[in-house]
């Protein structure tokens, strides 16, 4: 799964912020929302993996880029076929969804009866459509750019007011694609070339909204991912052990350093490492730093280590 930088940032925050921190509740809400989004995207991946595309096709998940005006685009999935390019927005909103087309107002009613407005997914997707249509025209590619909003939560009810809107339940995706195949003619297009052009356009977007957190607002320790970061792991003979669930890991430290890098700094000293992961002995920390093969800078008391960006690549 291709997760966004924003997800890693919010995940790091929610697993590290002290529970009584003032920012904790809304960060936790945001984290749950993002997790639901990821579940939705995984369901879409399974549905598309099961679908038999007629001709050549490619799917790019979580396509992110910045346009020439400096604004960002985040698209859940781009389906590239030889007949059309389909933008897929995945929604995982519970309750009943309503739409007032004349006002572009998109809302949902929770099971408790609370009515609230949501960002309009059709307008979001339309904006992506305009953007990509422009690029395809620039590249001389005559592929129609289309979009669909896919609801991945089977319990969600779509109100009649959405009748004429491009939104379907995920289970309808295969039929929707079949209809597009019937409707559109094959175009002379090199999908590898198109995928390369789109990749060149894409970039990793930075976290949306950074909360300034000092180390004093964070929980220390190597935290157990299996226990949803609730428990601190102990270091014992080269292994990190969770006393709660029994998980033993050599690599749990990578995730801790990854979170340190995201939230605090990409530099860490021996002393900072000891304080953060909870090792008292300086020699043990030195040995650990050696094993982690972090690049070392400075000299004497000014020695620090650089936590590389791809340290997360070692964990997932
Ligand atoms: Zn555990």
């Amino acid at each position: 799964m291709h997760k966004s930088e924003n997800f890693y940032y919010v995940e790091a925050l929610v697993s590290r912020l002290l529970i009584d921190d003032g920012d904790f509740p809304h960060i936790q809400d945001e984290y749950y929302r993002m997790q639901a989004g990821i579940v939705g995207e995984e369901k879409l991946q399974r549905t598309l993996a099961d679908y038999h595309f007629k001709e050549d096709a490619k799917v790019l998940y979580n396509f992110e880029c910045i346009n020439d005006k400096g604004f960002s685009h985040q698209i859940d999935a781009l389906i590239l076929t030889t007949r059309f390019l389909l933008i897929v927005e995945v929604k995982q909103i519970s309750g009943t969804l309503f739409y007032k087309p004349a006002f572009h107002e998109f809302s949902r009613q929770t099971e408790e009866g609370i009515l609230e407005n949501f960002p309009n997914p059709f307008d979001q997707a339309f904006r992506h459509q305009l953007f990509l249509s422009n690029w395809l025209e620039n590249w001389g590619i005559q592929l129609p750019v289309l979009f669909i909003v896919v609801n991945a939560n089977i319990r969600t009810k779509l109100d009649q007011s959405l009748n004429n809107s491009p939104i379907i339940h995920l289970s309808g995706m295969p039929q929707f694609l079949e209809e597009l195949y019937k409707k559109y003619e094959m175009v002379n297009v090199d999908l590898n070339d198109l995928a390369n052009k789109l990749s060149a356009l894409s970039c990793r977007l930075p976290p949306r909204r950074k909360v300034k957190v000092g180390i004093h607002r964070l929980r220390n320790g190597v935290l157990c991912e299996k226990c949803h970061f609730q428990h601190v792991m102990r270091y014992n003979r080269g292994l990190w052990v969770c006393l709660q669930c029994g998980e033993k890991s050599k690599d749990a430290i990578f995730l801790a350093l990854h979170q340190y890098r995201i939230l605090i700094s990409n530099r860490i000293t021996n002393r900072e490492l000891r304080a953060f992961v909870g090792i008292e002995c300086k020699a043990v920390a030195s040995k650990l730093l050696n094993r982690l093969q972090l690049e070392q800078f400075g000299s004497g008391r000014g020695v620090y280590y650089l936590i590389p960006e791809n340290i997360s690549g070692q964990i997932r």
Side-chain angles (χ1 to χ4, degrees):
M1 184 81 205
H2 186 72
K3 290 174 182 159
S4 66
E5 294 295 320
N6 197 47
F7 178 82
Y8 286 125
Y9 177 73
V10 174
E11 183 182 62
L13 261 185
V14 83
S15 52
R16 287 283 166 187
L17 267 186
L18 293 164
I19 309 290
D20 57 3
D21 191 285
D23 278 322
F24 187 79
H26 75 256
I27 296 287
Q28 194 177 36
D29 283 351
E30 192 175 346
Y31 183 62
Y32 289 152
R33 263 202 307 279
M34 294 181 89
Q35 266 190 326
I38 284 174
V39 169
E41 282 162 39
E42 283 170 350
K43 287 183 194 164
L44 173 70
Q45 281 191 19
R46 279 201 298 279
T47 301
L48 291 181
D50 177 53
Y51 177 71
H52 181 78
F53 285 95
K54 304 258 170 291
E55 297 108 13
D56 249 9
K58 281 179 186 297
V59 188
L60 309 180
Y61 290 101
N62 191 30
F63 178 85
E64 300 178 308
C65 73
I66 293 177
N67 65 31
D68 56 359
K69 301 266 169 51
F71 293 93
S72 62
H73 289 267
Q74 190 273 316
I75 303 173
D76 294 331
L78 279 179
I79 301 179
L80 279 47
T81 78
T82 46
R83 296 170 188 239
F84 54 86
L85 188 160
L86 180 65
I87 294 165
V88 186
E89 276 284 308
V90 185
K91 292 293 161 199
Q92 176 85 358
I93 307 170
S94 59
T96 307
L97 304 183
F98 296 88
Y99 193 47
K100 291 182 194 159
F103 306 128
H104 290 239
E105 186 180 277
F106 187 81
S107 58
R108 77 100 170 250
Q109 188 167 30
T110 63
E111 278 167 25
E112 294 77 36
I114 300 164
L115 194 67
E116 53 191 338
N117 282 357
F118 268 72
N120 181 331
F122 310 123
D123 290 346
Q124 287 176 336
F126 181 66
R127 181 178 160 263
H128 301 322
Q129 184 187 32
L130 281 180
F131 171 71
L132 288 176
S133 299
N134 253 322
W135 272 108
L136 260 62
E137 205 183 306
N138 278 344
W139 295 329
I141 297 172
Q142 316 237 311
L143 214 50
V145 179
L146 316 165
F147 71 80
I148 184 75
V149 177
V150 171
N151 175 64
N153 184 344
I154 196 168
R155 291 159 59 90
T156 304
K157 295 188 187 78
L158 304 180
D159 180 73
Q160 300 272 350
S161 54
L162 283 156
N163 267 356
N164 296 315
S165 302
I167 183 168
I168 55 171
H169 274 288
L170 177 59
S171 62
M173 197 65 185
Q175 196 180 335
F176 179 76
L177 287 167
E178 290 292 309
E179 277 158 20
L180 293 186
Y181 270 111
K182 270 186 221 147
K183 191 167 168 195
Y184 293 95
E185 295 288 323
M186 208 154 141
V187 172
N188 188 13
V189 57
D190 179 344
L191 288 188
N192 283 325
D193 177 58
L194 176 56
N196 287 340
K197 283 185 161 77
L198 288 166
S199 296
L201 206 63
S202 74
C203 67
R204 299 282 284 162
L205 294 177
R208 255 166 243 153
R209 167 174 68 81
K210 280 215 166 192
V211 179
K212 197 92 195 108
V213 286
I215 192 98
H216 62 283
R217 290 175 65 185
L218 303 180
R219 294 161 60 215
N220 288 335
V222 169
L223 306 177
C224 179
E225 192 178 13
K226 246 190 172 172
C227 293
H228 305 287
F229 307 106
Q230 293 305 299
H231 300 288
V232 176
M233 301 176 97
R234 295 279 170 78
Y235 191 54
N236 188 12
R237 297 177 194 193
L239 278 182
W240 299 91
V241 183
C242 175
L243 299 182
Q244 197 70 26
C245 73
E247 171 78 353
K248 287 185 181 129
S249 161
K250 226 171 127 174
D251 302 333
I253 178 91
F254 288 124
L255 189 53
L257 286 173
H258 173 61
Q259 295 182 338
Y260 188 91
R261 185 182 194 280
I262 291 176
L263 299 174
I264 304 294
S265 167
N266 60 353
R267 295 172 171 201
I268 195 164
T269 65
N270 185 304
R271 195 160 59 88
E272 286 163 343
L273 178 81
R274 275 181 282 144
F276 187 64
V277 304
I279 292 176
E280 279 169 25
C281 175
K282 192 173 174 183
V284 171
S286 296
K287 238 174 145 178
L288 183 62
L289 279 164
N290 253 329
R291 189 171 72 70
L292 297 175
Q293 294 183 325
L294 301 187
E295 218 179 326
Q296 184 181 331
F297 293 87
S299 61
R301 310 196 92 216
V303 169
Y304 67 88
Y305 301 83
L306 209 59
I307 306 170
E309 196 180 344
N310 66 5
I311 196 149
S312 59
Q314 319 220 25
I315 30 176
R316 44 193 126 174

